[in-house]
Amino acid sequence: IAVGCDSAVPAVPGADLPGVFYIKSMEDGLLFKRIVSQPGVQSAVVVGGGYIGVEMAEALLERKLNVTLVEAGERLLAPFEPEFSQQAARELERHGVALRLGEKVTSIEDGQRERIVHTSKGAYAADVVVMCVGVVPATGFLRDCGMRLAPNGAVIVDREMRTSQEGVYAAGDCAVAYNRATREDFFLPLGTIANKCGRIAGS
């Protein structure tokens, strides 16, 4: 089982409006690139200040869009030490990104021309909105089959990627991995981990 993850959709009104994008696959990215290349698209709101949100803000800057990045936490890139988060924030602002930290999105409104992202502290209009609020394991189809799953739906595996069902293995972003530092199962959907776990399962 190597089905990966789906984009997390926040439970806020308007999260599924046209003009609100979730970039999961290469095809999603190519479509979004065509859309933001149109002459009338000049501004974007990126929701989420993790790896993908920061990278998306950078990519949109390169396409000459006005970018606002909204993050519910008090800093970007929470897995990093605070000083690195601060460096990333300064660099984004230096290149023109409007950072809105500590603001939780409450709704997205369909304006006449733009989408309006309402937060706990303000409202920001843009031609496109990109949601980068995380991922969830794409394992909904396994919930009733008796396989052991973590609370977030990730498949629980042993050190050789075996699931609780004989002859069935799981690897990648849909499964947990063993964390040698904490000595416990850990969910960290990154390509480096997925690649290594896929090699273990294949062996």
Side-chain angles (χ1 to χ4, degrees):
I1 300 170
V3 292
C5 282
D6 292 323
S7 297
V9 180
V12 298
D16 57 350
L17 282 172
V20 179
F21 295 89
Y22 299 82
I23 312 297
K24 174 65 175 65
S25 66
M26 180 68 76
E27 290 76 15
D28 295 337
L30 292 172
L31 172 61
F32 185 66
K33 182 179 179 180
R34 288 203 301 272
I35 289 170
V36 299
S37 297
Q38 296 176 3
V41 179
Q42 300 177 343
S43 59
V45 170
V46 176
V47 180
Y51 298 108
I52 304 302
V54 169
E55 290 176 359
M56 184 60 70
E58 180 185 13
L60 291 169
L61 279 179
E62 290 184 2
R63 303 202 73 79
K64 310 302 182 187
L65 270 68
N66 296 317
V67 181
T68 300
L69 192 154
V70 178
E71 163 58 36
E74 294 301 324
R75 60 187 179 93
L76 302 175
L77 301 171
F80 289 93
E81 296 295 325
E83 55 265 35
F84 294 109
S85 296
Q86 292 162 9
Q87 286 182 28
R90 285 194 297 267
E91 190 69 8
L92 285 172
E93 288 181 321
R94 187 172 74 83
H95 284 85
V97 175
L99 288 184
R100 300 291 180 259
L101 303 179
E103 298 192 27
K104 184 176 182 180
V105 173
T106 55
S107 67
I108 302 173
E109 180 186 348
D110 188 1
Q112 290 185 342
R113 268 197 73 254
E114 301 171 309
R115 303 296 167 266
I116 304 169
V117 178
H118 295 272
T119 75
S120 52
K121 296 182 181 178
Y124 311 102
D127 297 313
V128 294
V129 178
V130 191
M131 304 299 286
C132 306
V133 295
V135 294
V136 292
T139 54
F141 69 101
L142 296 173
R143 291 197 180 277
D144 298 321
C145 74
M147 187 175 292
R148 290 184 64 216
L149 303 176
N152 72 339
V155 181
I156 295 175
V157 293
D158 65 11
R159 300 288 293 276
E160 295 184 347
M161 314 312 295
R162 296 183 183 93
T163 73
S164 60
Q165 294 191 357
E166 186 176 354
V168 181
Y169 293 72
D173 294 353
C174 65
V176 300
Y178 181 72
N179 186 325
R180 292 182 62 188
T182 61
R183 298 183 179 179
E184 61 186 358
D185 289 335
F186 200 71
F187 180 69
L188 188 59
L190 292 175
T192 52
I193 295 172
N195 183 282
K196 292 178 178 71
C197 291
R199 286 171 173 264
I200 294 169
S203 305

